Amino acid sequence: MTTAKPSGVRATAVGVARVRARETRRENPLFLDPFAEAFAAAGSLPVDGKPPRAPVDDAARRRWGPAALGPGGAGARRRWGAVAFSIVVRTRFLDELLRDGADAGCRQVALLGAGMNSRAYRLDWPSETRLFEIETAEPLGFKESVLRAEPADPRCERITVPVDLREDWTGALVAAGHDPALPTVWIAEGLLIHLPQDAVERPLGQVGELSATGSRMGLTLGQPGVVERFAQDTGTAASMRVSEIPPDPVTWLAGLGWDTRAYTVRERAAAYGRPVTAPEEQPPRHGVLISAARR
């Protein structure tokens, strides 16, 4: 199979797929993603693969990250281990949020920056559910080339919307069939952290304009200090992280019309039966996993 590999920040979606594939192989996984391994392999990140050894080119460094690229990376290994763990926990968190939204009657789902998200295929959806994947053309093309080789059909009406969120994505979404008069579950997973701080509110404001009362929203945000911690990992997608969580995300989102609950990765991990054994940082971290309902 020949694919056009995604590049830039969107290439991180392949790394996320690799994390999900490894979790799926665990004895007691927090979720199952039978498509993640195919995405990872097509993006040159086989789940059983070993990190490359020197000499390492820039492309390999971006794919594998500093944790896998030679000695002296103990701090990087810890950071990337924490990132992988947070990806696992956030995946389960957002899966549950989507199921709760469906149980509440939402029949529209919109994934902002959908990446290698396979929820249209791996989750059970009520009849008449329409799932919109909003993503730029390059990663969507890569994704489609992988899915065509997989023996599976989506479990809902899956609609791809090839558009950049910096463009008129709301117009493209409505043109693709989204009805703003009906409740929607919105997911922005691993997205906002890559937007400049002053640009984070813009897509959320646009989401609000398209959200009927009863809509739901799931977000993942960057912890305070995350930009500084990963800035040293130059040449990786993590160094492209440019925004952090507001001091009070609940109040912040209330100002945008959402009733919000914020959870830490530690809290959700414990609830899922996979508690964090390391001592909690002081002062305790803010919640970065966001569940919100439209007023």
Side-chain angles (χ1 to χ4, degrees), residues 35-58:
F35 304 94
E37 191 160 338
F39 290 135
S44 301
L45 280 179
V47 177
D48 291 326
K50 299 261 186 210
R53 295 298 177 188
V56 177
D57 62 19
D58 288 341

Side-chain angles (χ1 to χ4, degrees), residues 101-131:
D103 290 344
C106 293
R107 295 295 180 266
Q108 294 186 129
V109 175
L111 309 179
L112 302 180
M116 301 303 112
N117 191 312
S118 65
R119 290 184 171 101
Y121 292 82
R122 67 180 183 81
L123 298 184
D124 292 322
W125 298 100
S127 60
E128 302 181 358
T129 298
R130 309 183 83 194
L131 186 148

